[in-house]
Amino acid sequence: MPRPDVITGADMLTETAYAKINLALHVRGRRADGYHSLESLFVFAADGDLLRAEPAQKLSLTIEGPFAHGLESGADNLVLRAANALRERAGIANGARLVLDKRLPVASGIGGGSADAAATLRVLVHLWALSIEEVDLIDIALSLGSDVPACLGSRTQWVGGRGEQLRDMQLEGLGRMPMLLVNPRIPLSTGPVFARWDGVDRGPLEPSDLAALIEQGRNDLEPAAIMLAPVIADVLAELRAQPGAQLVRMSGSGATCFALFADKAARDRARAAIAAAQPAWWTMATEISER
Ligand code: C5P
């Protein structure tokens, strides 16, 4: 069972659905089941969506927050799908009142929906006092989406396979590194981006340190995502132009891009400059979580 991150109030639990960032994403091949085999370094931001849960007779979901308009709260929502999958596996019919504060842009390559699903599993295991094996939880997580197993622990991890091979990994100097996220407010679905990958295996991801990650790491989905949303090239160029930006790349299937900085002042200056130049873009100043 992953370490919970639950703030306990009077009968209410709150869990953060940490934003997931792929510091590198190498696509190695197409699989017979329609998915792609990947090698990726996942890190998690210190910030994300917030999920509150309290006991109730029935299962319900309310969505609020700046990106609530981009999501339906019906049975298809990953939060409710996660809750239902957990109930089914545990053989229970417990209820819960769930409130999702949607702070991350939807369909943006930073795992919003996957992190929400993982946070739901974490919070409901506690609310319902379930004892469930970690392998079962990972199995439920994978049934909800390829990124959900990694989001369960929300730790820095090397991720392989379709998303189910997880290995904790620490790179010297990465912990608490200031990070800027920028999204041009163009939603991108994951499937169509993968479908435009050119099929060329450009090699494995084996970063020994941050310098190697910067030099040898790639996001193989960048060209495909730029085909669908050319503005991503502008986001990358803006980030690369910022003084102090050490690593600039797209996360996941886009359109969110990130930059890592050695210090917070440089990150905050970059955020202010980009917000002034491109006021319509979404920006978030955060840092890599040390969990
Ligand atoms: O697993 P998830 O539902 O998040 O994936 C969404 C879509 O992204 C899949 O239907 C598939 O088209 C693509 N995908 C992929 N290979 C992966 C993960 C996702 O092709 N490893």
Side-chain angles (χ1 to χ4, degrees):
M1 172 67 208
R3 195 175 65 79
D5 177 60
V6 176
I7 308 157
T8 309
D11 260 1
M12 185 184 282
L13 305 178
T14 302
E15 182 79 19
T16 304
Y18 300 97
K20 166 229 68 164
I21 290 89
N22 303 85
L23 292 190
L25 198 172
H26 294 195
V27 185
R28 303 298 313 275
R30 287 200 183 92
R31 305 177 4 159
D33 62 4
Y35 286 90
H36 293 75
S37 45
L38 312 173
E39 293 177 20
S40 184
L41 183 64
F42 279 41
V43 295
F44 289 83
D47 302 285
D49 295 336
L50 289 180
L51 184 73
R52 300 199 301 275
E54 56 186 346
Q57 289 284 322
K58 288 187 172 172
L59 190 59
S60 69
L61 171 65
T62 308
I63 306 178
E64 57 185 37
F67 288 99
H69 57 275
L71 272 184
E72 303 282 338
S73 59
D76 277 359
N77 185 284
L78 269 171
V79 168
L80 285 180
R81 284 179 50 206
N84 280 318
L86 186 62
R87 290 204 301 192
E88 204 171 297
R89 183 69 62 109
I92 55 170
N94 296 25
R97 191 177 114 74
L98 300 167
V99 179
L100 176 65
D101 182 358
K102 192 73 202 160
R103 299 176 174 204
L104 303 173
V106 175
S108 72
I110 52 176
S114 306
D116 295 344
T120 305
L121 295 176
R122 291 197 299 268
V123 85
L124 290 180
V125 163
H126 281 261
L127 190 78
W128 294 338
L130 303 176
S131 56
I132 183 161
E133 296 286 334
E134 183 157 358
V135 292
D136 290 326
L137 212 51
I138 289 177
D139 194 46
I140 298 172
L142 189 63
S143 76
L144 297 164
S146 305
D147 287 351
V148 185
C151 289
L152 269 182
S154 294
R155 292 184 304 271
T156 299
Q157 290 161 102
W158 183 94
V159 178
R162 191 194 127 194
E164 78 288 2
Q165 298 171 16
L166 307 175
R167 201 170 73 219
D168 284 349
M169 178 178 251
Q170 290 301 330
L171 285 190
E172 188 76 25
L174 208 57
R176 303 209 57 192
M177 207 170 177
M179 176 164 59
L180 178 63
L181 305 178
V182 179
N183 181 283
R185 294 188 194 263
I186 305 270
L188 268 188
S189 296
T190 310
V193 177
F194 270 102
R196 281 168 179 76
W197 174 59
D198 64 5
V200 178
D201 176 7
R202 293 174 173 79
L205 175 66
E206 293 159 345
S208 49
D209 56 19
L210 186 56
L213 177 72
I214 293 172
E215 223 169 276
Q216 297 150 24
R218 318 175 299 269
N219 183 337
D220 289 331
L221 294 179
E222 271 178 21
I226 290 169
M227 261 186 248
L228 289 166
V231 67
I232 293 169
D234 303 334
V235 176
L236 290 167
E238 281 276 7
L239 284 170
R240 288 196 182 107
Q242 300 305 316
Q246 297 198 346
L247 169 59
V248 173
R249 218 161 258 161
M250 189 180 82
S251 177
S253 55
T256 306
C257 301
F258 66 87
L260 299 184
F261 295 86
D263 64 274
K264 287 186 180 176
R267 177 202 63 193
D268 293 343
R269 276 193 297 272
R271 184 194 194 180
I274 290 177
Q278 300 287 351
W281 291 359
W282 173 85
T283 62
M284 181 187 251
T286 183
E287 62 184 32
I288 294 179
S289 155
E290 260 186 329
R291 247 166 300 106

